[in-house]
Amino acid sequence: MRRRAGVGAIQKHKLEQEKYKDKGNEIQENQFEQMTKQLEVFKVNLEEFASKHKNEIRKNPEFRRQFQEMCASIGVDPLSSGKGFWSVLGIGDFYYEIAIQIVEVCLATNDKNGGLIGLDELRTRLIKARGQSKQHQEISKDDLLRAAQKLKIFGSGFNVVPMGKGKYMVQSVPGELSMDHSAILQQAEKNQAFISVSYLRRELNWEIERSQKALDHMVDQGLAWIDLQNPQERLYYIPSLFAPVLMLPVNLFFIHYLI
Amino acid sequence: MSEVEIDWPWQYSFPPFFTLQPHPETRHKQVAAWKSLILAYCQKTKTYIIDVREATQFSLFNNSAINRKLEHNVIVSILSELQKTGNAAAVDKAKNRWEIYWHTLEEWASMIYEYVSNSGMQNTVLTLYELVHGENSNGEEFNGMQQEVLLKVLKVLERERKCEVIVEDDMQGAKFF
């Protein structure tokens, strides 16, 4: 006959469990402390590294990208910390300067491209306006993307539109662009800046309604122009992808706030 | 019409530029670009009169390289926009014939008046032919000006009491004060 567990046994079991739990907590706390310490050390080292290589970070885009990645891995965002150590370093300022210049390029080209510009064109124009010296020239697409991302805080007015295959467009007019719109831009880019309903049907297998809706939206956003003089069907042109627009000179010259 | 080298803007090779755009903001940009292109073209080719019925003869409204033309009613609406700023005027009621003023009549008036006073020809009667075809005005922008346009310019000066248009039999002239 089985003996039923007495009150004493239950209490003993409970006590044991609590002890285990305490021990567990203790270990966890230890580990956490350890990790915090390690992170702290890493952070200090990173800061040391950053200040030691301050100039390198500023001048060399590849260095800058790797440094950003290191920061990201420990959850430090040198762009968002305007105070303390990082502000002394001026990394944030560097990107703020780029961000302002992105806005200026977007504004200056707006009447030609309707507020949509390819990252390559943006980079060419920005670098040109930054002037001759080498350190002003070395701005990578990665720098531009990081800076442009920061502009999102101003609301829907600024947006980075991924186009696939490492290509991006920067949109500087309010209005959401969906996946369909990015797909249309991608198609237009490889087709001399224009597309049509039947083209999208052929390339993407889209229903007429889907294409029409997306194309109408882009016309409504001022991003696409309609051409009614093609004998076969209505064509939609994206001025920001039209080759002669990319070559246009724009009067822009940046004053350097830094360095 | 003799063709001179035109510095065509990018829009001229952009096919939808020849279709009036439905989106208001885009259309605004489009019309503005057309307005300045028309004025630049007329200035370069010294075109004072455009007959919209013959518009396809102007390379301005007809880009054969991309096979695009600007429609009759679109041309009229853009010219009407130019009229608002004093840069064009319909000559007939049907709005087929248009005078184009890349300088407004007032601007032309002060240019001509300045020329006359600089060359000390006040208080003498000049024939209209002399004024715009004479050797003296050879380097002036108004050289070769269409007679109808010239008369309108002189009317401006008349209102300012700076000149008087004199018509005698088959001779038209003006006296400047």
Side-chain angles (χ1 to χ4, degrees), chain A residues 110-115 193 219-231 235 237-239 242 244-245 248, chain B residues 9-11 13-27 29-31 33 66-71:
Chain A
N110 183 288
D111 64 321
K112 295 174 185 73
N113 56 33
V219 171
D220 284 344
Q221 299 284 309
L223 300 176
W225 289 47
I226 296 177
D227 174 25
L228 296 177
Q229 292 182 42
N230 175 50
L235 302 180
Y237 276 81
I238 314 291
F242 187 61
V245 171
L248 281 180
Chain B
W10 68 270
Q11 288 97 331
S13 53
F14 190 54
F17 189 50
F18 292 80
T19 295
L20 192 65
Q21 294 302 306
H23 180 59
E25 223 173 282
T26 308
R27 185 171 60 239
K29 286 178 195 171
Q30 181 189 21
V31 170
I66 56 167
N67 205 12
R68 294 291 184 275
K69 296 182 181 84
L70 200 59
E71 264 183 46

Side-chain angles (χ1 to χ4, degrees), chain A residues 72-84:
Chain A
S73 68
I74 57 156
V76 171
D77 182 1
L79 274 68
S80 65
S81 5
K83 285 182 204 151

Side-chain angles (χ1 to χ4, degrees), chain A residues 134-149:
Chain A
K134 192 157 183 294
Q135 64 184 20
H136 293 150
Q137 297 285 304
E138 305 252 330
I139 305 294
S140 70
K141 284 199 239 175
D142 182 77
D143 292 331
L144 291 179
L145 282 177
R146 279 182 204 285
Q149 300 287 355

Side-chain angles (χ1 to χ4, degrees), chain A residues 87-103:
Chain A
S87 74
V88 177
L89 196 59
I91 297 289
D93 293 347
F94 170 82
Y95 285 100
Y96 289 133
E97 183 181 278
I98 301 288
I100 292 166
Q101 291 169 348
I102 289 176
V103 175

